[in-house]
Amino acid sequence: MLVRKLLLLSGIAVLAVSTVSAQAKKGKKGKDEENTEAEAKPAAAPSSKPTGLQWANRDMTYHGQNYDILDSAYYGKGKPQKQFHRYLDHQEAFPPRPRNQIEVGVGGGLYNVFGDIPTVMLWQKGGGGVNINVRKSLGYIFSMRAQYIYGVAKNLDLQPTTAYDKPYLEFHYSPAQFAGASGADSMVYRSTRMESSQFNLDLMFNAGNINFHKARNKMSFFGYLGLGMLGYKTRVNAVNDQFLQYNFRGITFNPNDKASAKRKKIRERMDKSYESIAANDGTKTILDKKHRDFAPSIGLGMQFKINKQFNVQLEDRYTFPMDPYLDGTRYGANLGGTVVSSGRTSDAINYFSVGVNMNIKSKKSVEPLYWINPLDHAYNELSYPRHMILPNPVLPDKDEDGVTDQFDKCPKTPKDLPVDAHGCPLDTDGDGVPDYKDKQLITPTECQPVDADGVGNCPCPDGCKEMVSNNNGKTSDKNPCGNIGAGTLLFPEKSNKINKGMEAQLATLAAQMQANPLCKVVIMGGGTGSKVKEQKSWEHVNAVIEHMSEKHSMGRDKFIFKYGEAGDENIVTYRPANVDENGDSNVPPPHPDIH
């Protein structure tokens, strides 16, 4: 996949170069043809910026998901700032590389030596390792990392062997290669423990951040080549706590015994000490007499992003120093009755780890570049041009209503009238008569169709004319809100949230209030007898009014706020306000410190 992406990027680059070259040749040819005319005309004053830009109406909001390339704070002083200003002036096609964060991390996992003696995994009472690392990106693909690993590996034979060297010789075991013609060789199960410190410098390459179909990835894959130094010390469990030989004779295994059963039988004959220094190649030592090795390595891993600062990492490192003594021996296991006098020419280390990494913020900086998609700027510049050279658009709008003629469904709208997205005068109640001609601005649906003046066909009940406002703003004794229904809302225990059922009720109430714009509604909450109940009653009433305001655009002045009434604090009722009934719509909480 990475190869395909690189080939695609190369193709785009070649195409871009070819296009620029062709444009340059065309421009040069055009200049040659215009030389004659230019001699007869005075030279124009040079311009530092391209002409034909309409910056005033351009949306300069950053729409991407990585970082704003036009923000100079992301670039360091000196050369990056010079490149940035050249980019702004269209003298440079590429913005500078932004200041990006350093990643630090810790981890731990399985640390195993693969040699002549079988390795023991962590869950089999084997060893493990821990690590710390610091990583810095060199670009969008390559990065450098320094990592320190402390590891303990354990190895244990699962079959007896008669081929071995020190320290068994020091405790008078008789290996097959030294046993006399009549002497009997000693059978042992080798058990070793290797402790190491490993420092690595890795050149890493990642795949996944250069993406053509989305701005960001949650997962990143990487590989690396490492050079390092390994210091290790291997010890052997050769004798018991009295420095006497182990007696391994009599250990028998059933053909169906699993490896775990074999390890258990062998360990029952041994203590847990690793008292003896293992054989080694005699090289120089470092760090508490650890043997020093040059340790090249390779590795693969993946990272899972938690957020822009943290990620979780899975990784496997394979280290292959040219050393056959990591597991403490150069002898292989017996093959049937055959003694293997020499085993692997080089042992290896495998470290599988799980870690957590954190990006260290410094000044204004972006995430490490191996998380950034460099195409984010290019794609967003195509969709929302902020830096691109664009000519002034010429879009006719004959009626000057703000909707261009090609999209205007009402091309002859009178001047200064508010219009909708299609360029037609607003029609709030949808009765087919625009607002500026409608004598009944909000006609209930059941009263439509309407006449030419926008007046509905519902008959006026007896005395309805007395319900409308008089010149002094007061109403008669009759209630104009009789067609707004009352209702009850039940809040869940210990909750102030409006649930689905309540939303349906309140949607109906909102429709009734919109059809009766002169009416107010009383919202009443039960709950009296204690401060806790009064506060809960206030919160429930307030939740209803806020829902009506936010979801249905009903002003708070359309409601009368009442709380602490008789009844359950989880019950809220509503009803139309009576004639001349008044009350506050904004009431402070009675006991704000109680939750």
Side-chain angles (χ1 to χ4, degrees):
M1 182 61 72
L2 178 60
V3 173
R4 290 181 181 177
K5 289 185 177 180
L6 291 176
L7 290 175
L8 182 56
L9 287 174
S10 300
I12 293 173
V14 171
L15 180 60
V17 170
S18 301
T19 304
V20 172
S21 177
Q23 290 178 348
K25 290 180 180 178
K26 183 178 179 182
K28 183 177 180 180
K29 182 178 179 181
K31 288 182 179 178
D32 291 340
E33 293 175 350
E34 294 174 1
N35 278 341
T36 304
E37 296 182 5
E39 291 176 358
K41 297 180 180 180
S47 176
S48 60
K49 285 190 175 182
T51 59
L53 299 177
Q54 191 174 1
W55 298 102
N57 296 331
R58 193 173 297 201
D59 179 12
M60 299 301 289
T61 305
Y62 171 61
H63 295 277
Q65 297 184 35
N66 289 302
Y67 75 100
D68 186 358
I69 281 182
L70 298 184
D71 187 347
S72 63
Y74 285 112
Y75 310 110
K77 297 179 180 179
K79 186 177 179 180
Q81 284 293 332
K82 290 181 180 179
Q83 183 178 348
F84 174 69
H85 289 293
R86 287 176 59 82
Y87 173 75
L88 287 184
D89 292 337
H90 297 278
Q91 299 173 1
E92 176 81 39
F94 296 92
R97 186 173 65 181
R99 185 188 296 112
N100 60 93
Q101 300 165 8
I102 296 175
E103 179 186 87
V104 299
V106 297
L110 311 179
Y111 196 82
N112 299 92
V113 168
F114 296 110
D116 300 301
I117 307 174
T119 188
V120 182
M121 304 303 291
L122 179 63
W123 57 86
Q124 298 165 348
K125 300 182 181 179
V130 294
N131 67 272
I132 58 174
N133 47 263
V134 179
R135 183 180 177 186
K136 177 65 177 176
S137 66
L138 302 177
Y140 292 94
I141 296 178
F142 293 100
S143 57
M144 292 294 295
R145 181 180 70 176
Q147 184 179 65
Y148 170 77
I149 303 172
Y150 172 79
V152 173
K154 293 183 179 181
N155 295 70
L156 177 65
D157 272 330
L158 294 181
Q159 63 178 10
T161 182
T162 56
Y164 43 83
D165 46 14
K166 64 177 295 188
Y168 292 97
L169 299 177
E170 298 171 355
F171 294 107
H172 309 295
Y173 287 90
S174 297
Q177 68 269 27
F178 295 144
S182 59
D185 51 0
S186 302
M187 178 184 65
V188 300
Y189 289 89
R190 295 168 296 182
S191 177
T192 63
R193 178 185 185 273
M194 190 271 275
E195 178 184 358
S196 71
S197 292
Q198 185 176 348
F199 179 79
N200 305 287
L201 187 62
D202 303 320
L203 175 62
M204 309 183 70
F205 50 93
N206 70 287
N209 61 321
I210 301 177
N211 199 304
F212 293 88
H213 303 291
K214 58 182 178 180
R216 302 180 64 83
N217 276 344
K218 290 288 187 181
M219 184 183 301
S220 174
F221 297 91
F222 62 85
Y224 57 86
L225 302 174
L227 295 177
M229 185 67 67
L230 173 69
Y232 76 92
K233 180 188 294 184
T234 304
R235 305 182 74 88
V236 182
N237 188 357
V239 293
N240 61 22
D241 56 357
Q242 297 178 3
F243 293 92
L244 299 176
Q245 294 181 1
Y246 288 122
N247 180 13
F248 294 113
R249 299 195 180 277
I251 297 179
T252 58
F253 301 123
N254 294 324
N256 296 326
D257 276 352
K258 295 182 179 179
S260 57
K262 294 180 179 180
R263 278 190 292 269
K264 182 178 180 181
K265 290 181 180 181
I266 295 168
R267 284 169 171 163
E268 287 175 350
R269 298 291 183 96
M270 307 170 73
D271 59 21
K272 297 181 180 180
S273 66
Y274 295 87
E275 75 291 327
S276 306
I277 300 296
N280 56 73
D281 60 2
T283 56
K284 294 181 180 180
T285 60
I286 57 173
L287 298 174
D288 189 26
K289 297 182 178 180
K290 289 183 171 65
H291 297 280
R292 183 183 64 195
D293 271 330
F294 173 67
S297 59
I298 58 175
L300 295 171
M302 62 179 66
Q303 292 177 298
F304 303 90
K305 180 179 285 295
I306 300 173
N307 53 41
K308 287 189 175 183
Q309 191 172 7
F310 292 94
N311 67 79
V312 176
Q313 177 175 296
L314 299 177
E315 178 183 347
D316 190 69
R317 178 189 291 273
Y318 188 81
T319 306
F320 40 95
M322 300 301 293
D323 191 332
Y325 288 100
L326 297 182
D327 62 350
T329 184
R330 60 186 176 85
Y331 290 100
N334 285 11
L335 297 177
T338 304
V339 176
V340 180
S341 59
S342 61
R344 294 168 58 108
T345 58
S346 178
D347 294 342
I349 301 171
N350 191 80
Y351 179 48
F352 176 81
S353 61
V354 179
V356 177
N357 300 315
M358 180 180 70
N359 301 329
I360 303 298
K361 296 181 179 179
S362 60
K363 298 183 180 179
K364 190 165 186 178
S365 55
V366 301
E367 301 169 77
L369 294 182
Y370 42 83
W371 284 111
I372 298 292
N373 185 357
L375 296 177
D376 176 74
H377 170 62
Y379 275 81
N380 278 282
E381 186 66 20
L382 290 174
S383 300
Y384 313 100
R386 299 188 300 152
H387 181 66
M388 191 185 305
I389 299 174
L390 297 173
N392 288 323
V394 179
L395 301 175
D397 180 15
K398 292 182 180 179
D399 56 4
E400 298 181 356
D401 60 358
V403 179
T404 58
D405 292 348
Q406 65 187 107
F407 301 112
D408 200 335
K409 293 184 178 180
C410 300
K412 297 182 180 180
T413 304
K415 192 174 182 179
D416 297 330
L417 282 181
V419 296
D420 58 20
H422 302 292
C424 294
L426 292 179
D427 181 12
T428 302
D429 54 7
D431 60 1
V433 179
D435 290 354
Y436 75 100
K437 293 182 178 179
D438 201 332
K439 294 183 179 180
Q440 188 178 26
L441 189 60
I442 300 177
T443 304
T445 304
E446 61 269 18
C447 297
Q448 297 182 24
V450 298
D451 60 19
D453 294 323
V455 178
N457 58 15
C458 292
C460 182
D462 294 339
C464 69
K465 294 182 179 179
E466 300 176 12
M467 299 180 186
V468 299
S469 298
N470 299 321
N471 292 335
N472 58 5
K474 295 183 179 180
T475 59
S476 68
D477 292 338
K478 294 191 177 182
N479 188 355
C481 306
N483 58 344
I484 294 181
T488 301
L489 304 171
L490 176 61
F491 279 82
E493 192 72 25
K494 299 181 180 179
S495 173
N496 299 330
K497 293 184 178 180
I498 305 294
N499 58 33
K500 295 294 183 182
M502 297 161 69
E503 286 181 359
Q505 285 183 262
L506 294 177
T508 301
L509 175 62
Q512 294 171 347
M513 294 179 68
Q514 289 171 353
N516 297 271
L518 298 178
C519 301
K520 288 188 176 183
V521 172
V522 181
I523 310 294
M524 297 178 294
T528 185
S530 71
K531 293 181 178 180
V532 173
K533 290 183 177 181
E534 288 181 357
Q535 178 64 22
K536 184 61 67 175
S537 174
W538 182 91
E539 291 173 356
H540 288 159
V541 174
N542 190 62
V544 172
I545 295 178
E546 285 190 353
H547 177 84
M548 295 293 287
S549 177
E550 294 175 1
K551 298 296 183 181
H552 300 288
S553 301
M554 308 299 299
R556 291 186 70 99
D557 58 346
K558 295 290 185 181
F559 300 96
I560 297 176
F561 194 120
K562 291 188 177 183
Y563 72 95
E565 303 288 327
D568 192 321
E569 68 273 14
N570 293 317
I571 294 178
V572 172
T573 60
Y574 59 86
R575 61 170 175 81
N578 296 320
V579 176
D580 295 332
E581 182 176 3
N582 295 312
D584 292 333
S585 58
N586 288 289
V587 178
H591 311 290
D593 297 330
I594 296 177
H595 298 287

